[in-house]
């Protein structure tokens, strides 16, 4: 049931996704594996990137013998992997590294050497020898290298070989990239890896433990709304922050089609991303809208302090109107005037029609052009086709406009010459009203 509800929505999401975009789905053990198969079908198995285990509970519930404490975050890219040499999808190539952690940097240190510390700064030491197991011992990699401090020729220890070819080892030596110990008397040198040359970020592993738990999210929700357990599975802001850090850049567009408490939109907003949230429950009004208004006003929970959030920006809140088209793309027979008017206006201008707009066949004027809609007896004539046909008298009764006019109606009795003379472009319902 649930999967068949999801399928067409996932297909739509795929259509909406940018070519270099990615989709991130958080899901628990009950549905994760079924959903994986469906998403593989929609996005293509070759575009599957990762199944992240997000630790959502600190410990297992103690009324069980075994219990899950994590949730899955499944990730797909849209565009296919490129070429054999690269195993990455387009989305993955565009992902951001995580900032280097202090723990990672702590592996690099300043070491004493006979002629003082290296001017290139902190480094990490790695082995220059291979132990000969697993077929890695190669005779051509057994040669002497001169210790510059003692002048001795140094060979790899018995049963081992160097990791590098002779000219590469010589280059490391010439560039001062071999470490011979504090006194310069090491039996074998170590290779220096400088912090200044280390990758400017870290690869994100697939286990996300100690990041933020469900209970943190519940606390965030409680602080925002003053009520406990309003949502079953709210996500902590720090979890969404990591996702958006990896997958997006400032200004990118983030869509959450199941907005829930509005966390994705709140975090996207604080991180300078543009966002669209869709929610069908009443909490769109009772929770999402006020929460995002708080964010705009500078709310200080969640990731606010971490990103220096001070408030700003804004958003629009829309309610979906009645469905304009049936599954075959035909206009619904019982669609009312206001709904079709909003639709036509948006189709023509790309802008929303104010809900306060007067009920008039003149929908409005945009960039000097007036838009009219003759539909559903708007002119007061309730006969089946009454008022929906552009005739001379109907035209005479329309609110005037000095400039080009676009009139939507079921048909017109005015010939092409008259229409041209009146500056009218006639568009026929339903043919000129398209679902796309
Ligand atoms: C579990 S919440 C997800 C919340 C949020 N994305 C998160 O991960 O924290 C799922 C939400 O999707 C909403 N929902 C379910 N079906 C929907 C649909 N067809 N269109 C819009 N929203 C829907 C539900 O009302 C619910 O609030």
């Amino acid at each position: 049931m649930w999967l068949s509800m999801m399928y067409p929505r996932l297909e739509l999401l795929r259509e909406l996704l940018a070519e270099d975009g990615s989709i991130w789905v958080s899901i628990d053990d009950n549905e994760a594996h079924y959903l994986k198969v469906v998403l593989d079908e929609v996005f293509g198995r070759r575009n599957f990137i990762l199944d992240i285990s997000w630790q959502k509970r600190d410990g297992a519930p103690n009324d069980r013998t075994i219990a899950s404490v994590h949730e899955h975050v499944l990730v797909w890219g849209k565009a296919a992997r490129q070429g054999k040499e690269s195993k990455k999808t387009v989305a993955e190539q565009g992902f951001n590294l995580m900032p280097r952690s202090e723990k990672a940097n702590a592996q690099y240190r300043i070491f004493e050497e006979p002629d003082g510390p290296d001017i290139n700064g902190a480094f990490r030491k790695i082995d220059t020898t291979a132990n000969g197991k697993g077929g890695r011992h190669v005779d051509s990699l057994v040669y002497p290298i001169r210790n510059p401090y003692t002048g001795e020729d140094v060979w790899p220890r018995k049963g081992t070989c160097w990791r590098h070819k002779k000219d590469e080892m010589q280059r490391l030596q010439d560039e001062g990239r071999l470490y011979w110990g504090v006194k310069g008397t090491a039996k074998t040198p170590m290779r220096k890896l400088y912090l200044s040359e280390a990758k400017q970020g870290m690869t994100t592993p697939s286990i996300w433990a100690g990041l933020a738990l469900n209970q943190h999210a519940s606390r965030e929700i409680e602080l925002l709304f003053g009520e406990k357990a309003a949502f079953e599975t709210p996500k902590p802001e720090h979890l969404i922050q990591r996702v958006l850090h990896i997958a997006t850049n400032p200004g990118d567009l983030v869509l959450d089609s199941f907005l829930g408490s509005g966390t994705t939109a709140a975090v996207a907003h604080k991180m300078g991303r543009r966002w669209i949230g869709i929610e069908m429950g009443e909490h769109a009004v009772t929770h999402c809208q006020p929460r995002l208004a708080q964010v705009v006003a500078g709310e200080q929970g969640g990731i606010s302090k971490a990103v220096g959030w001070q408030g700003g920006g804004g958003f629009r809140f829309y309610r979906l109107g009645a469905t304009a088209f049936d599954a075959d793309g035909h206009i619904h027979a019982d669609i009312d005037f206001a709904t079709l008017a909003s639709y036509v206006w948006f189709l023509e201008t790309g802008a929303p029609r104010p809900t306060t707009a007067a009920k008039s066949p003149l929908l409005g004027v945009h960039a000097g052009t007036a838009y009219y809609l003759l539909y559903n007896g708007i002119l007061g004539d309730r006969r089946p086709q009454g008022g929906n046909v552009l005739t001379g008298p109907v035209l005479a009764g329309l609110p005037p406009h000095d400039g080009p006019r676009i009139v939507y109606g079921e048909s017109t009795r005015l010939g092409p010459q008259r229409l041209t003379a009146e500056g009218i472009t006639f568009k026929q319902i339903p043919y000129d009203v398209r679902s796309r």
Side-chain angles (χ1 to χ4, degrees):
M1 253 310 281
W2 182 78
L3 278 181
S4 36
M5 183 282 280
M6 287 303 289
Y7 199 102
R9 287 171 175 77
L10 292 169
E11 281 186 312
L12 258 181
L13 289 172
R14 185 180 182 283
E15 227 178 279
L16 293 171
L17 186 62
E19 287 305 306
D20 60 350
S22 54
I23 180 166
W24 298 63
V25 186
S26 79
I27 185 84
D28 68 16
D29 264 350
N30 290 317
E31 297 291 349
H33 309 87
Y34 300 98
L35 191 65
K36 164 78 165 62
V37 176
V38 168
L39 269 145
D40 270 345
E41 193 168 306
V42 175
F43 282 83
R45 266 185 95 159
R46 53 198 263 110
N47 293 325
F48 174 66
I49 296 176
L50 202 63
D51 174 2
I52 294 162
S53 295
W54 165 55
Q55 184 197 359
K56 64 176 177 181
R57 290 182 61 115
D58 221 358
N62 53 18
D63 59 346
R64 312 258 179 97
T65 47
I66 54 173
S68 170
V69 294
H70 76 282
E71 196 154 294
H72 303 262
V73 180
L74 305 170
V75 190
W76 282 261
K78 182 173 184 178
R81 291 169 196 276
Q82 293 179 325
K84 265 189 191 153
E85 66 287 357
S86 165
K87 289 196 171 153
K88 295 176 179 172
T89 63
V90 173
E92 205 180 340
Q93 284 160 21
F95 283 171
N96 297 314
L97 293 167
M98 292 304 294
R100 291 183 62 85
S101 68
E102 280 179 24
K103 191 174 154 207
N105 284 348
Q107 295 177 353
Y108 294 79
R109 293 190 4 231
I110 306 276
F111 292 96
E112 278 302 323
E113 289 178 72
D115 35 14
D118 192 319
I119 52 166
N120 294 313
F123 58 83
R124 175 161 85 84
K125 300 180 294 189
I126 56 169
D127 205 349
T128 51
T129 59
N131 66 11
K133 282 187 192 140
R136 291 178 74 187
H137 186 276
V138 181
D139 284 345
S140 66
L141 292 178
V142 179
Y143 53 83
I145 173 120
R146 180 146 306 162
N147 180 328
Y149 300 103
T150 63
E152 278 171 32
D153 275 349
V154 171
W155 293 78
R157 281 186 306 276
K158 204 168 168 12
T160 72
C161 61
W162 300 118
R163 277 175 194 234
H164 308 286
K165 289 191 185 135
K166 193 168 182 179
D167 49 354
E168 168 67 1
M169 198 70 165
Q170 192 58 50
R171 183 184 70 82
L172 295 172
Q173 171 85 301
D174 294 345
E175 292 179 3
R177 288 173 184 267
L178 293 182
Y179 177 75
W180 293 90
V182 178
K183 297 203 171 101
T185 53
K187 287 211 171 67
T188 50
M190 301 287 274
R191 182 177 172 186
K192 300 175 183 178
L193 283 189
Y194 293 109
L195 178 57
S196 58
E197 292 175 358
K199 200 160 63 161
Q200 287 311 302
M202 295 172 58
T203 304
T204 308
S206 62
I207 295 182
W208 293 7
L211 174 61
L213 307 170
N214 247 341
Q215 71 190 61
H216 297 123
S218 304
R219 181 94 187 107
E220 285 166 7
I221 297 290
E222 195 188 341
L223 283 174
L224 282 167
F225 303 116
E227 57 187 341
K228 269 196 173 138
F231 294 88
E232 262 180 34
T233 58
K235 306 292 174 296
E237 290 201 6
H238 283 92
L239 172 70
I240 307 295
Q241 181 193 24
R242 179 174 286 188
V243 171
L244 297 188
H245 172 85
I246 295 169
T248 67
N249 291 308
D252 282 356
L253 189 54
V254 176
L255 171 70
D256 187 346
S257 56
F258 302 94
L259 194 59
S261 64
T263 311
T264 306
V267 173
H269 197 97
K270 293 177 189 178
M271 292 176 73
R273 274 66 169 166
R274 295 174 300 140
W275 51 268
I276 298 172
I278 303 168
E279 176 51 59
M280 69 175 192
E282 255 313 285
H283 44 283
V285 182
T286 54
H287 291 76
C288 299
Q289 190 178 17
R291 176 178 189 172
L292 288 154
Q294 285 190 52
V295 170
V296 169
E299 166 267 295
Q300 285 300 301
I303 64 161
S304 288
K305 296 213 165 58
V307 300
W309 176 244
Q310 297 292 320
F315 63 94
R316 284 198 183 134
F317 186 90
Y318 295 102
R319 271 173 201 277
L320 278 189
T323 315
F325 297 90
D326 65 19
D328 300 323
H330 300 134
I331 298 180
H332 268 294
D334 53 359
I335 188 170
D336 65 10
F337 179 83
T339 304
L340 194 62
S342 299
Y343 198 87
V344 166
W345 182 256
F346 185 78
L347 200 68
E348 289 283 356
T349 68
R353 185 165 181 263
T355 43
T356 52
K359 196 168 182 201
S360 158
L362 174 59
L363 303 182
V365 178
H366 182 83
T369 299
Y371 295 90
Y372 297 84
L373 174 64
L374 307 178
Y375 179 72
N376 217 8
I378 183 65
L379 296 177
D381 184 342
R382 298 242 164 241
R383 281 173 298 147
Q385 289 249 303
N388 299 343
V389 179
L390 183 62
T391 60
V394 165
L395 178 59
L398 289 180
H401 174 69
D402 191 13
R405 292 179 283 181
I406 291 181
V407 181
Y408 280 82
E410 282 169 12
S411 63
T412 178
R413 300 262 162 78
L414 308 182
Q417 281 177 349
R418 171 85 192 273
L419 289 173
T420 310
E422 297 278 358
I424 293 175
T425 307
F426 183 79
K427 296 197 177 180
Q428 195 175 9
I429 305 169
Y431 310 106
D432 290 325
V433 188
R434 291 271 161 263
S435 56
R436 283 284 158 98

